[in-house]
């Protein structure tokens, strides 16, 4: 059964610092997604990663995929308050998708 | 505004009842996805349709069903409702099927409360 684990579940960081959110999954995958959710809001797609070694960057966020290690990372560079949100990874395999529990990120001044 | 609309925004109903949630995708998008978000279960993928055909199926209960119509809007039907079905239901749309890279655009969600 496909299982997806994210860590940490809660992350409090200061503005200007760097940090990484990890997403581990239990079986092979077809693709991996990262999403953002602001409190009380809907989801926003951030990245879709298809192949081993894939790296995508948007602003202060960079996502990478290592299919051999079954690991994706979401790296935050020089965090700003606007990045405060919950971040989810999700893995698609055999036409089924499973989500991680989410990482609640709080960026403090 | 993602361009994806969902109705209703809020729905309060009783156990045992049946409800229908509606989703209109962005103009031109052929894929529609349904998700459930609750405190107990977290985020769960329910089902995906592409141009009227079911393409992927996740943790969708037998009491739930969905369809995508020729005009590409989709409906999620929830029947024999239980307290545990109380959740936020999101739909998303994308321009491509599973074969392509599919950036999903999410609707605002329908909050279902079962009393």
């Amino acid at each position: 059964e496909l299982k997806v684990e994210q860590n940490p579940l809660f992350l409090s960081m200061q503005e200007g610092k760097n940090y990484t959110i990890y997403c581990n999954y239990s079986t092979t995958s077809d693709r991996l997604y990262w999403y953002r959710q602001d409190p009380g809001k809907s989801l926003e797609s951030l990245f879709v990663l298809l192949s081993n070694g894939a790296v995508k960057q948007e602003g202060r966020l960079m996502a990478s995929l290592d299919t051999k290690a079954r690991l994706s990372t979401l790296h935050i560079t020089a965090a700003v308050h606007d990045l405060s949100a919950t971040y989810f990874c999700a893995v698609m395999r055999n036409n089924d998708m499973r989500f991680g529990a989410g990482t609640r990120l709080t960026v403090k001044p | 505004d993602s361009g994806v609309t969902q109705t209703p925004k809020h729905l309060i109903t009783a156990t045992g009842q049946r409800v229908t949630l509606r989703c209109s995708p962005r103009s031109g998008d052929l894929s529609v996805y349904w998700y459930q978000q609750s405190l107990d279960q977290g985020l769960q993928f329910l089902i995906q349709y592409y141009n009227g055909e079911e393409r992927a199926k996740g943790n969708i209960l037998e009491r739930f069903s969905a369809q995508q119509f020729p005009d590409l809007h989709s409906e999620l039907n929830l029947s024999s409702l239980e307290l545990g079905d109380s959740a936020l239901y999101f739909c998303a749309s994308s321009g491509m099927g599973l074969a392509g890279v599919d950036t999903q655009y999410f609707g605002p969600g329908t909050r279902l409360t079962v009393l």
Side-chain angles (χ1 to χ4, degrees):
Chain A
E1 183 188 348
L2 176 56
K3 293 185 179 179
V4 181
E5 288 187 3
Q6 268 183 256
N7 66 84
L9 297 183
F10 298 93
L11 177 55
S12 179
M13 53 192 300
Q14 293 214 306
E15 280 191 330
K17 299 292 187 183
N18 303 334
Y19 209 83
T20 301
I21 299 171
Y22 297 88
C23 176
N24 291 91
Y25 52 97
S26 59
T27 66
T28 57
S29 69
D30 297 326
R31 60 190 66 191
L32 189 137
Y33 301 82
W34 283 98
Y35 301 93
R36 168 183 172 144
Q37 186 175 36
D38 292 316
K41 302 290 186 181
S42 185
L43 290 151
E44 176 189 352
S45 290
L46 296 175
F47 303 107
V48 182
L49 303 171
L50 298 180
S51 58
N52 189 43
V55 177
K56 290 196 174 180
Q57 182 162 6
E58 180 76 32
R60 300 175 188 275
L61 300 177
M62 183 174 71
S64 65
L65 178 62
D66 182 343
T67 57
K68 292 179 182 178
R70 297 176 186 164
L71 170 69
S72 180
T73 60
L74 181 66
H75 187 72
I76 303 152
T77 302
V80 293
H81 179 70
D82 285 352
L83 289 180
S84 296
T86 299
Y87 294 84
F88 293 93
C89 67
V91 176
M92 175 75 83
R93 178 177 182 267
N94 292 343
N95 295 343
D96 187 16
M97 179 190 284
R98 299 294 169 97
F99 283 83
T103 297
R104 185 177 294 181
L105 170 66
T106 303
V107 181
K108 298 181 177 180
Chain B
D1 184 0
S2 67
V4 178
T5 60
Q6 288 186 250
T7 56
K9 287 187 178 179
H10 302 276
L11 195 48
I12 301 174
T13 188
T15 55
Q17 295 298 304
R18 172 189 170 94
V19 297
T20 297
L21 313 183
R22 182 187 169 105
C23 171
S24 293
R26 293 189 321 153
S27 177
D29 282 357
L30 299 179
S31 273
V32 171
Y33 308 75
W34 285 98
Y35 301 90
Q36 179 196 60
Q37 186 175 33
S38 66
L39 287 176
D40 290 344
Q41 304 283 341
L43 262 170
Q44 293 197 89
F45 165 67
L46 297 179
I47 198 162
Q48 181 207 3
Y49 280 84
Y50 178 78
N51 202 22
E53 305 266 339
E54 182 184 303
R55 272 296 178 93
K57 202 167 186 176
N59 282 337
I60 187 164
L61 299 172
E62 285 190 10
R63 300 184 286 110
F64 295 2
S65 64
Q67 56 184 325
Q68 187 179 27
F69 294 87
D71 67 352
L72 301 177
H73 92 270
S74 179
E75 293 181 356
L76 179 67
N77 300 295
L78 315 177
S79 62
S80 303
L81 284 167
E82 302 175 359
L83 295 177
D85 297 329
S86 295
L88 265 171
Y89 291 85
F90 293 108
C91 82
S93 74
S94 71
M96 304 182 74
L98 289 175
V101 177
D102 52 343
T103 297
Q104 296 166 32
Y105 297 87
F106 285 81
T110 293
R111 182 173 292 280
L112 173 66
T113 303
V114 182
L115 301 176

